[in-house]
Amino acid sequence: MDSLAPGSGAAGWGPAAGSEPTDTRDPLGLLDLFGDPFVRDPYPWLDLLRSESPVHHDPATGLWLVSRHQDVRRVLLDSERFHPDNAQHAVTPLPIAVLRVLARVGFTLPPALANNGTPSHSGLRRVVTRFFNAQRVAAAVPVIESIADELLDGVRSQLDTTDGCDLFTSFAQVLPCRVLMEVLGIRGVEPATLIRWSDASLELFWGRPPLERQLELAELVAEFHQWLTATVRSDTVPADSFIGALARHRLPDGRPLDAETAVAACFFVFIAGQSTTGQLIATVLRRALEEPGRWPRMAGAAGPAEAWVEEVLRREPPVTTWRRVTPQATRLGGVALPAGAQLLLMLMGSGSDPEVFPKPEQMCPNRANIRHHLAFGAGRHRCPGASLARTEAAVALRAAARRLPDIRPAAGAGEPPMLGLLSFRAPSKVAVERA
Ligand code: HEM
């Protein structure tokens, strides 16, 4: 497999050196979106898709892969021809035994936010944006800094006593969860539990787990749903919390929100608001540590850390793909799509489109169009948490570079283990040691 893969041997971060396939078989026929070669080094595959088959039917998943920046953007902005209904469908079908575990707690995900193409979307979205607007994010900065400092105290003492530490589990993963709990007023649950529920949900709906693992994950997702349902139904929820705001929300016809939709909104926001940002911080730290001379430059005043975060979002975003579905037969990039075509928008690949980003393989924090990437989507479903995510990642990077000036990637750690789900990709370990 490796020798047939386009660009095999190319470094994950660098250009697709020697990316000419030597086999005469169609190299895209070998594409496995969950396979190790794609997860470790997706760039040569993404380049090949963009140049050879920009709207490509993937027989393994049945998805249509859309990889050019202009096509991805067109789809995101055209909510008439491309609907969001499939955004949270399980990519690996859930067998009856798994559905039974979920049914036991009445698990449903009615249209709420990302999967909502109905008229109730804009009102529900406004509830979310009120919690993450520029003012709220600016007010959250001292909170983010103080949680970052507290976590880095722990990292510092671990490094001083043991020499080594994993910045993902001890810092990157925990910070966004703690911040989200503060910003949304989430109470009555441990951050570690929320992280476990959120990660399980991502793997169950966006992964390719075998049956036994699906059953384990479904138990955790069911627990999460049960806790959300009890919390949404409780009459002691603070009025100024996110759940309190959902309880006051009225649908376009004046009715209050039903509990199932409120739970579905929380389910998505509680996952989207922490796991993705933790993944971004992991990649941001990893890449800044790996590039010679970059780490100390991140410790100064605001500016360099923000620009580094933006380039990572372009080149190696945590949310690598997003889905849409065609209600009617249509055409895209010269390709005829049937009604019901499930599209996979290659957000990560679009950030390396040379038509938009010259020399895409190079990290250029001073690019003129640095924010033109699609890491947060576009149009009416564009990520309302973008500003919080960017701010958290920049604060985390700056704080870590200041507090840990003497660290480097752990010697002999090799390539880190990677989370490689359909739409989420990041190192699940950032091992460092004292230099
Ligand atoms: C690095 C971190 C993040 C990335 C890369 C990311 C990415 C995305 C993407 C690609 C979408 C789909 C956009 C579309 O369909 O056009 C999305 C939607 C969404 N994101 Fe994020 N996100 C991140 C962090 C957050 C945070 C911190 C929150 C906080 C609550 C959040 C909440 C949401 C919500 C509610 C939606 C659905 C919006 C709607 O349908 O109107 N995300 N995000």
Side-chain angles (χ1 to χ4, degrees), residues 76 113-115 121 125 128 132 180 184 268-269 272-274 276-277 280 313 317-319 321-322 324 347 374-386 388-389 392:
L76 288 168
L113 290 159
N115 63 346
H121 171 255
R125 184 181 161 89
V128 179
F132 299 105
L180 194 75
L184 295 182
F268 189 77
V269 171
Q274 46 149 342
T276 50
T277 312
L280 172 64
L313 281 163
V319 182
T321 70
W322 209 245
R324 288 290 191 269
L347 303 179
L374 299 167
F376 293 114
R380 60 173 63 170
H381 289 272
R382 185 179 182 279
C383 177
L388 178 66
E392 279 187 64

Side-chain angles (χ1 to χ4, degrees), residues 177-191 194 197 227-228 231 236-238 240-243 270:
C177 181
R178 299 259 315 261
V179 171
L180 194 75
M181 291 177 77
E182 286 293 329
V183 173
L184 295 182
I186 303 171
R187 301 276 178 270
V189 63
E190 285 299 312
L194 210 47
W197 285 340
W227 176 78
L228 281 173
T231 311
T236 58
V237 170
D240 59 354
S241 67
F242 180 62
I243 295 179
F270 288 14

Side-chain angles (χ1 to χ4, degrees), residues 71-79 82 324 332 343 345:
D71 290 334
V72 173
R73 191 162 176 279
R74 189 168 291 154
V75 171
L76 288 168
L77 293 179
D78 188 343
S79 53
F82 304 102
R324 288 290 191 269
L332 179 69
L343 307 191
L345 309 177

Side-chain angles (χ1 to χ4, degrees), residues 10-13 35-43 286-287 316 415-418 425:
W13 186 239
D36 202 46
F38 182 77
V39 172
R40 290 223 158 267
D41 186 10
Y43 299 106
R286 172 189 181 197
R287 296 307 185 187
E316 197 172 6
E415 286 286 303
M418 295 293 292
R425 175 184 177 275

